[in-house]
Amino acid sequence: WLFLMVQNYQKAFKAYDIRWKYKEEIDEMLTYTMGIAIAKHLHTTPNKIILIWSDVRIPNTSLITAFIAWLQSQGIQKIYRTTINEYTNGEKYPYGICSTPGLYYLAQNDVDLAVAFTASHNPPEDVGMKFFDKTCTFLSQQTLLQMFNETYDAARILPELPHHYDIEQFPLLETKKEQLLSFLQTKFSQLSSSFHIGVDFSTGAAVALEKELLERLLPGQLTLINDIPDGMFSAHLSETQEHENYHQLIETIKERKLDLWIMFDGDADRVGFVWPDGKVLGGDMILALVAEQLLLENKDLDISKKLILYEVMCSKIIPELVTQAAGSSKMVRMGRFFIKEAMEQTGALFAGETSGHFMFSSLGNYEMPLLVLYYVLKSLTYYGSYEAMIQRVYKYPKCPVTSILVQDKQAVLTNIKESFKNEKQVEIDGISVYG
């Protein structure tokens, strides 16, 4: 029985987080075990600082309480929560609500370990955990699994737990929030035009920090929907790549004349864009527009520092546009964990993927969707119209992604490689054929 339980838990360990269904692969016993593991992981760090945050999923309170239980029993004093606005002070979210980008900014350089309780864009029955250090580098799947395997035998019995622990708010919260606002205000103040923007918060984590910042950055220019936290995501699921999730937003667009709409995913580290005609702009198109504006902004940089990273699913307009803007580009493996790793290895200026993760070197190689919004608005100003901007990036046709389950992946790849041996091939993340 114990062996089967361990195997079941292990299924939840992904490339850079722990994520799956609540009470099936992830429960309080698992998070309690990870609390013991983290205590061991940080045992040589003096005066260790641990920052906890939660997205809007209802089970997070009990999962966080179980995680903190061992840390509390070991006398670790500096365990802090994030609390951003009035929604986070109630019984439903005693540990606060914050976005993943918000946690990156709060934790960077000032926290030994940040622990995010989020399942990102997954459906409401899923929960999850992410762990990263003060450089915003995630603990890898291998590291997390090793920590879990070495600790599970020591856990065994879950102690009786309170509803929640009364841990303090992060002391640097307000200071760092104002620093972030000041940084963004410096950017947004450079826009020569004003825009009326619709924002769909997907009832997720963006209802906290991102909502407050947007209201201060663009006062009187916003139309907001789904901006009350709802752990069931009753309005729609928060996956920005699934176009059916934009239906409500597109219907709202038809009723109101706005310049553009944006939609956040569940933990607000991804953002999708919808234009007045109801067209959802692909993540790689956003990547191209932002990359171009960044390169124009940094035109005096040495060419070695003007590197843009993209992944295999992206349109070939990206390397073309980057070259025209006097930059260089490189295709890398798909996946947020691997892209950030590639940024650190190459010193890239900017990186992104079709899913909507966009990472800036100026921030420490992590996401900040509000900065993406700034560069898209800057691009809109630069081109003078939505039509001209879209025409610039939609040069090549793109077909939908089709996934096919096969029994022998390697045999299929070998067959494709042989069948298209006369065409250009790239073997990153499998095989890509160019004709």
Side-chain angles (χ1 to χ4, degrees), residues 81-138:
R81 58 179 166 81
T82 56
T83 301
I84 300 295
N85 65 13
E86 68 272 18
Y87 297 125
T88 65
N89 295 324
E91 187 70 11
K92 190 180 273 189
Y93 303 109
Y95 295 112
I97 297 174
C98 187
S99 64
T100 296
L103 188 63
Y104 292 146
Y105 194 86
L106 293 174
Q108 190 175 24
N109 301 322
D110 295 304
V111 170
D112 295 298
L113 191 76
V115 187
F117 283 79
T118 176
S120 186
H121 56 275
N122 283 32
E125 61 268 22
D126 290 1
V127 292
M129 305 174 75
K130 299 177 184 177
F131 303 82
F132 58 88
D133 62 20
K134 61 179 60 180
T135 68
C136 298
T137 299
F138 284 113

Side-chain angles (χ1 to χ4, degrees), residues 144-424:
L144 292 174
L145 263 174
Q146 182 178 343
M147 291 167 59
F148 171 79
N149 291 335
E150 291 175 352
T151 307
Y152 187 73
D153 283 346
R156 291 294 180 91
I157 300 174
L158 185 69
E160 186 175 345
L161 300 171
H163 177 266
H164 68 272
Y165 291 103
D166 292 320
I167 58 176
E168 295 181 12
Q169 178 177 294
F170 184 47
L172 296 176
L173 174 66
E174 293 302 323
T175 298
K176 298 200 78 169
K177 185 172 68 174
E178 291 303 316
Q179 288 173 350
L180 177 56
L181 176 64
S182 177
F183 168 75
L184 292 170
Q185 281 177 329
T186 301
K187 294 289 187 183
F188 277 78
S189 65
Q190 297 174 30
L191 295 172
S192 57
S193 304
S194 61
F195 301 90
H196 195 171
I197 299 166
V199 186
D200 184 348
F201 292 90
S202 302
T203 66
V207 301
L209 181 62
E210 281 69 20
K211 180 180 177 181
E212 179 181 345
L213 291 174
L214 277 169
E215 289 177 330
R216 295 173 70 178
L217 289 167
L218 299 168
Q221 300 177 58
L222 300 172
T223 295
L224 311 181
I225 64 172
N226 301 322
D227 59 330
I228 304 296
D230 174 7
M232 296 307 296
F233 301 106
S234 302
H236 58 75
L237 297 181
S238 66
E239 167 60 88
T240 53
Q241 280 191 283
E242 297 295 336
H243 284 203
E244 62 263 27
N245 294 331
Y246 290 89
H247 285 171
Q248 180 193 4
L249 194 143
I250 291 170
E251 286 301 313
T252 311
I253 288 172
K254 293 176 181 177
E255 299 170 5
R256 310 180 191 189
K257 189 175 182 180
L258 303 177
D259 294 301
L260 79 158
W261 279 85
I262 64 172
M263 184 173 84
F264 291 100
D265 78 336
D267 65 333
D269 63 352
R270 300 195 306 180
V271 62
F273 286 78
V274 181
W275 298 98
D277 60 1
K279 183 180 183 65
V280 179
L281 197 60
D284 49 351
M285 303 295 104
I286 297 296
L287 194 162
L289 293 171
V290 175
E292 181 181 47
Q293 292 305 313
L294 269 169
L295 291 168
L296 292 172
E297 184 179 273
N298 293 276
K299 58 185 177 182
D300 295 331
L301 278 180
D302 184 88
I303 185 64
S304 64
K305 297 182 179 179
K306 294 195 289 185
L307 176 63
I308 307 297
L309 303 183
Y310 64 101
E311 42 84 1
V312 296
M313 298 293 290
C314 290
S315 166
K316 62 181 180 179
I317 190 62
I318 293 169
E320 189 174 300
L321 209 65
V322 166
T323 299
Q324 291 172 9
S328 60
S329 60
K330 182 179 180 180
M331 182 187 290
V332 296
R333 182 178 176 183
M334 182 185 292
R336 193 257 179 218
F337 178 86
F338 304 109
I339 293 175
K340 184 179 187 298
E341 187 176 60
M343 288 187 77
E344 291 164 351
Q345 292 170 352
T346 61
L349 179 68
F350 177 64
E353 58 181 354
T354 51
S355 68
H357 286 285
F358 306 108
M359 288 155 277
F360 297 87
S361 63
S362 59
L363 291 170
N365 301 326
Y366 62 81
E367 299 93 335
M368 185 60 68
L370 296 185
L371 196 54
V372 176
L373 172 62
Y374 161 71
Y375 282 111
V376 170
L377 294 177
K378 190 176 181 181
S379 182
L380 190 54
T381 304
Y382 178 78
Y383 282 103
S385 71
Y386 154 69
E387 290 79 11
M389 185 178 73
I390 293 302
Q391 187 177 11
R392 182 74 172 97
V393 290
Y394 272 96
K395 180 178 178 181
Y396 301 108
K398 285 199 74 176
C399 66
V401 174
T402 301
S403 298
I404 303 170
L405 186 65
V406 299
Q407 291 186 354
D408 190 341
K409 178 175 68 176
Q410 192 53 51
V412 173
L413 291 174
T414 300
N415 188 25
I416 291 171
K417 188 174 181 179
E418 177 62 26
S419 299
F420 296 95
K421 61 185 177 183
N422 295 324
E423 308 294 342
K424 177 187 173 183

